[in-house]
Amino acid sequence: MKGYKKYYGQKIFWYFLTLVFAVILNFILPRLMPGNPVSAIASKAVSGMTDSTAIQKVLNDYAAKFGINEPMYKQFFMWLGNALRGDFGVSFSQYPRPVSDIIANAVWWTVCLQLPAIIVGWILGNLLGAIAAYIKGAFDKVILPVFLFIGNVPAFGMATVLLYLFAIRLKLAPSSGGYGYDLIPNMSWTFIKSIIAHYQLPFWSIVLITIGGQAIGMRSMSIYELNADYVKYSRFLGIKDRKIVGYVFRNAMLPQVTGLALSLGTMMGGALVAEMIFSYPGLGMTLLSAVNGQDYPLLSACTLIITIMVLIANLAVELLYGVIDPRVKANQLD
Amino acid sequence: MKNTIKQVFHSGKFLFGFVIFMFILLTCLIYPIFVTADPLQMIGQGNFFKPGTYVSIEESTLEKSYTLQLPKQFSKLEAVLDIDTRAQIQEFLIKNAGVAESEIDVTDAEGLVALWKANYDPNTKYSGLTTAKRKALKRLDNQITAAMKDSGVIVAEKDEEGNLKQSKVIKDTDYVNINDVTTKTFLLGTDNFGRDVLTELVAATKSSLKIGLLAGLIATAIGLMLGLLAGYVGGLVDNIIIFITNLFTVIPAFVILILISYSVGDKARGIAMVGIIIGLTSWPWTTRSVRSQVISLRNRDHVNLSKLSGHSMFRIIFTDILPYIASYVVMAMILQISSGILAEAQLSMIGLGPATTKTATLGLMMQWAMQYSAHLNGSWWAYFPVVILIALISFSLNLMNTGLDQVFNPQLRD
């Protein structure tokens, strides 16, 4: 276990460093562009005011709060201090709700939708890919083109297809929202049932997309492994097929785990847009309303929380990788 | 070279992808030759017409019109003057206006109305009538006046000075022969603005391909340059580049894309700008893979030989390294193009796509369809073709990529 400490320590340190950079980017990118967002906020706040002393007062107030007149690095630390306390300011589009309140509401919808969906899709995709590689023949011939196509359908496209089929045509599932519009969130049975009903379509559209992408990768990895020398040698030794498949699956899976870590960000981006199709009350809708409402504080908080979520998920995958990859273990024991 | 290309086209997957992609590309180029109309012209009034054939309202107004001799019940005046009303008029004319009975012909509607107009004055208080009767007569007069009006549509055009000028009046009684008027067929219906979806789709595909190509070129150029530098030079340069690359692979490109697109502002965000932004955020993939390829090439004998011969770094990179990774770079670029098109679509759906009303892109079409709830009111023709096209483009590009991969990477051949 002692060896792992170093490995985990390095990983955590590296992710912390990335987080710092992500936070800096989140602060600096919008401020590099013409039209400082803070000045935009201030000018929006005073639009419609006619009393010049009042305008002056509001502008001074904003200048003091965000430190517009201070040098950039001071502004950054003020902003960082506020963000650490969970203070992202007040939303414009949903005035006077604080941004942190909106985000706190939305983030759990997204986490509870995307985390299980991506995990289920990943597992199913890898299983199907491995099976296709092992069985070959007709199964492979049918499944490969199908998944190749599905994997290329954008997540929001799959969302519209499922929505049209199951909500509009067959009326099997509700078309939008996270729960019935006539319900108030509580712990009653009807409410939970409504949540589950609304969960299905967004969940399966993300699962299907993930399956498509993963199955292709797993199939080619498995074919590659099945032709490897160690498999031929094991067969030659007369080791049971079942046992060999176990080894092959494990070896083929390792690159898939790394692949998951690398593509998590892209997957989440796609899934967020799919959420919007269903008007699911998660971060996707929040992002959309922030852009439509020219709500800068909400937008920057959204991007920050998405980055943090992706970083945490990535870190989790990498830590897991350390446990399942024997090479890491061997390295640590040296 | 010739042999390689021959080999590439022998790969079934590549060929299939290539055919689909070429079909899409050629459609984008050939379709506008035959359909010269502006793809964003609003032809149908009202939104989301189903796919089908419609009589063009606009062109029927330009057609020569006939005045039809329709049966009496279609004439407004006849509709007002039923038997009771005629008797009422006759009674009034005889009693209050003193017209001789012989002069009145109840069957002739035009004559009767002429007499009524000549004799009835709504401001005179006729004696010998109840108030109710007086009011009834007044209402009757209003009805007749309304029925006699040519309530039609006036067509006006702007002349050179920009003033509106009446060019035609279409009366209620004007009719056109439907066979003379051009009908318009919307194979894919119309969208929320009443634009022809098919024409718009072709134009949108063209501009989306442009965005994808631009993004792919930029991403590949940056990725190739950084990858070559990191892989070949190594040392501190490698460490710095790989550190930055790792940062940007972990920080989701989607987030950076949103931040930059929002900050650039609506005014600056055109087609080219969106392509550039996407290109600037998607290079890390290429950098990583080019770097690892170059590292494996760096210590090959022919490279070492070149080094010993004293060739410059640029010469070694261009003659000894680039040819070996060229196929790889092309494949990476194909994937970049496909992900660039997808990125544009997703960006547009959040509302951060090209802020232009001059051109359509696949993402913008999708965005408008969603904003007008096409997905909830069952107007599938407004968004399914877009989804299918995005999927087809990326499917064909990926097939081409897989095909190339199998040709250049014999281990993957099944």
Side-chain angles (χ1 to χ4, degrees):
Chain A
M1 215 45 219
K2 199 171 169 252
Y4 273 118
K5 220 181 213 166
K6 198 179 156 208
Y7 174 77
Y8 284 159
Q10 269 177 353
K11 285 286 169 205
I12 292 172
F13 174 71
W14 155 249
Y15 271 93
F16 178 73
L17 207 62
T18 315
L19 178 68
V20 170
F21 266 88
V23 168
I24 292 176
L25 276 181
N26 213 40
F27 172 83
I28 247 174
L29 273 182
R31 283 166 179 78
L32 284 179
M33 308 292 166
N36 190 322
V38 180
S39 329
I41 294 174
S43 65
K44 196 166 175 179
V46 296
S47 71
M49 287 175 130
T50 44
D51 186 353
S52 56
T53 45
I55 292 179
Q56 191 58 46
K57 204 159 180 290
V58 171
L59 285 180
N60 284 341
D61 199 38
Y62 268 99
K65 190 169 179 192
F66 292 97
I68 306 178
N69 303 328
E70 305 285 340
M72 200 67 126
Y73 73 93
K74 268 192 183 166
Q75 284 188 42
F76 174 69
F77 285 112
M78 278 171 90
W79 175 82
L80 189 65
N82 286 336
L84 282 179
R85 274 184 281 110
D87 178 10
F88 291 99
V90 178
S91 158
F92 294 152
S93 51
Q94 300 178 39
Y95 189 83
R97 254 179 110 186
V99 168
S100 47
D101 182 37
I102 301 174
I103 296 282
N105 267 330
V107 80
W108 293 113
W109 288 99
T110 296
V111 169
C112 294
L113 175 71
Q114 299 199 359
L115 192 64
I118 290 180
I119 290 176
V120 169
W122 187 79
I123 292 175
L124 284 181
N126 281 331
L127 272 178
L128 282 172
I131 292 173
Y134 184 66
I135 298 183
K136 291 182 184 164
F139 185 66
D140 188 32
K141 285 273 181 307
V142 174
I143 229 167
L144 178 69
V146 170
F147 280 132
L148 205 55
F149 189 74
I150 288 182
N152 284 310
V153 176
F156 63 82
M158 185 54 85
T160 57
V161 172
L162 290 191
L163 182 77
Y164 184 76
L165 277 183
F166 294 103
I168 309 283
R169 284 285 132 187
L170 300 174
K171 304 213 186 303
L172 284 177
S175 59
S176 61
Y179 49 87
Y181 54 86
D182 50 350
L183 295 173
I184 295 164
N186 56 2
M187 282 312 285
S188 75
W189 183 233
T190 26
F191 183 69
I192 292 172
K193 252 193 345 209
S194 164
I195 283 197
I196 292 175
H198 283 80
Y199 190 73
Q200 299 304 321
L201 288 185
F203 178 76
W204 288 111
S205 56
I206 299 174
V207 168
L208 276 179
I209 294 297
T210 318
I211 287 182
Q214 297 298 324
I216 301 301
M218 187 60 180
R219 179 187 162 274
S220 54
M221 274 327 293
S222 298
I223 288 178
Y224 183 77
E225 289 288 333
L226 276 171
N227 293 330
D229 288 341
Y230 74 89
V231 174
K232 285 174 189 158
Y233 185 61
S234 312
R235 283 215 170 113
F236 177 67
L237 286 180
I239 296 176
K240 273 188 202 137
D241 231 22
R242 181 179 289 256
K243 192 146 196 182
I244 300 176
V245 169
Y247 286 131
V248 166
F249 189 70
R250 190 169 166 172
N251 280 345
M253 216 178 66
L254 287 175
Q256 288 294 98
V257 176
T258 327
L260 179 69
L262 287 177
S263 57
L264 257 176
T266 324
M267 272 155 119
M268 248 195 85
L272 282 174
V273 182
E275 271 183 30
M276 280 162 35
I277 303 280
F278 294 105
S279 312
Y280 207 71
L283 286 174
M285 273 317 265
T286 316
L287 211 53
L288 182 68
S289 72
V291 171
N292 284 344
Q294 301 268 309
D295 192 343
Y296 177 74
L298 189 55
L299 184 91
S300 90
C302 267
T303 49
L304 193 61
I305 199 86
I306 292 171
T307 314
I308 291 174
M309 279 163 69
V310 172
L311 286 185
I312 291 175
N314 257 328
L315 179 62
V317 172
E318 290 226 18
L319 294 186
L320 190 73
Y321 188 78
V323 178
I324 56 175
D325 188 351
R327 280 170 296 184
V328 175
K329 202 196 266 174
N331 270 341
Q332 302 314 317
L333 290 177
D334 284 346
Chain B
M1 190 68 192
K2 200 179 155 196
N3 215 14
T4 323
I5 291 175
K6 217 171 169 183
Q7 208 180 356
V8 163
F9 277 93
H10 268 298
S11 154
K13 275 183 191 151
F14 179 85
L15 200 64
F16 188 49
F18 187 75
V19 167
I20 299 178
F21 189 74
M22 269 311 167
F23 177 74
I24 295 172
L25 196 66
L26 285 179
T27 314
C28 287
L29 296 177
I30 293 173
Y31 184 89
I33 299 176
F34 293 104
V35 181
T36 44
D38 177 14
L40 295 185
Q41 191 194 4
M42 301 179 192
I43 17 182
Q45 288 186 341
N47 49 21
F48 296 130
F49 282 133
K50 273 188 188 145
T53 304
Y54 294 87
V55 173
S56 160
I57 301 174
E58 196 185 321
E59 271 158 39
S60 62
T61 59
L62 302 174
E63 210 47 55
K64 214 178 83 188
S65 59
Y66 311 87
T67 305
L68 286 189
Q69 296 299 323
L70 287 172
K72 276 181 186 169
Q73 57 265 33
F74 288 110
S75 149
K76 268 195 197 166
L77 199 59
E78 296 284 348
V80 171
L81 297 177
D82 57 6
I83 297 174
D84 288 345
T85 323
R86 288 177 199 226
Q88 217 178 356
I89 294 174
Q90 191 186 25
E91 190 191 334
F92 169 81
L93 287 174
I94 295 167
K95 278 193 186 159
N96 297 75
V99 183
E101 200 176 342
S102 54
E103 281 179 46
I104 305 167
D105 177 12
V106 222
T107 51
D108 174 21
E110 307 266 322
L112 198 64
V113 168
L115 270 178
W116 168 266
K117 283 277 158 204
N119 292 301
Y120 180 78
D121 175 20
N123 297 323
T124 321
K125 204 174 174 187
Y126 295 100
S127 57
L129 292 173
T130 58
T131 319
K133 183 81 181 165
R134 269 192 218 118
K135 281 193 176 157
L137 286 177
K138 216 173 228 174
R139 279 200 299 274
L140 179 64
D141 184 54
N142 284 340
Q143 270 182 342
I144 291 176
T145 320
M148 303 240 314
K149 238 186 216 159
D150 303 308
S151 58
V153 183
I154 296 173
V155 180
E157 282 171 301
K158 268 190 184 156
D159 61 9
E160 285 123 32
E161 286 146 33
N163 302 319
L164 274 180
K165 212 172 164 190
Q166 176 177 333
S167 63
K168 195 174 179 184
V169 180
I170 302 169
K171 289 187 216 153
D172 280 355
T173 48
D174 286 354
Y175 288 81
V176 287
N177 191 340
I178 208 166
N179 293 329
D180 294 343
V181 182
T182 10
T183 51
K184 282 193 172 154
T185 306
F186 304 133
L187 279 181
L188 289 174
T190 70
D191 71 353
N192 56 303
F193 294 117
R195 305 158 174 168
D196 180 8
V197 172
L198 182 64
T199 315
E200 199 188 351
L201 192 66
V202 173
T205 311
K206 205 169 160 185
S207 38
S208 274
L209 283 175
K210 267 185 213 157
I211 292 179
L213 192 68
L214 187 61
L217 277 174
I218 292 175
T220 311
I222 298 177
L224 183 62
M225 216 138 74
L226 289 181
L228 282 173
L229 215 61
Y232 188 76
V233 177
L236 184 65
V237 179
D238 183 28
N239 281 337
I240 293 173
I241 291 178
I242 203 65
F243 177 73
I244 297 173
T245 313
N246 279 343
L247 272 183
F248 282 101
T249 23
V250 181
I251 300 173
F254 187 63
V255 163
I256 300 177
L257 209 54
I258 291 177
L259 281 177
I260 300 185
S261 305
Y262 186 85
S263 318
V264 163
D266 282 348
K267 274 176 212 139
R269 218 167 51 231
I271 297 262
M273 189 52 132
V274 170
I276 292 171
I277 297 175
I278 295 174
L280 285 180
T281 54
S282 54
W283 51 266
W285 285 95
T286 313
T287 307
R288 282 173 85 103
S289 32
V290 167
R291 174 181 168 272
S292 59
Q293 297 274 325
V294 173
I295 285 180
S296 74
L297 279 170
R298 191 170 54 184
N299 289 323
R300 291 261 185 98
D301 287 344
H302 71 279
V303 180
N304 282 334
L305 204 61
S306 284
K307 271 187 202 158
L308 285 178
S309 319
H311 290 161
S312 71
M313 189 178 97
F314 285 102
R315 186 162 165 197
I316 295 175
I317 285 180
F318 276 104
T319 57
D320 297 328
I321 289 183
L322 260 185
Y324 286 83
I325 58 170
S327 68
Y328 201 84
V329 172
V330 171
M331 289 189 310
M333 187 167 134
I334 289 177
L335 289 186
Q336 295 278 17
I337 293 175
S338 123
S339 68
I341 290 171
L342 182 65
E344 186 271 331
Q346 286 180 342
L347 207 55
S348 295
M349 288 189 64
I350 304 180
L352 290 173
T356 165
T357 48
K358 300 280 191 304
T359 37
T361 68
L362 291 173
L364 286 177
M365 283 183 78
M366 199 70 198
Q367 186 210 357
W368 285 117
M370 293 301 122
Q371 283 214 340
Y372 281 75
S373 326
H375 57 309
L376 296 178
N377 60 30
S379 314
W380 53 266
W381 55 89
Y383 60 90
F384 271 168
V386 184
V387 169
I388 292 172
L389 215 64
I390 294 177
L392 265 185
I393 293 176
S394 100
F395 178 62
S396 63
L397 289 173
N398 269 301
L399 266 185
M400 279 158 74
N401 181 59
T402 323
L404 285 176
D405 210 9
Q406 280 176 352
V407 170
F408 293 110
N409 211 346
Q411 262 179 325
L412 289 175
R413 279 183 216 157
D414 3 48

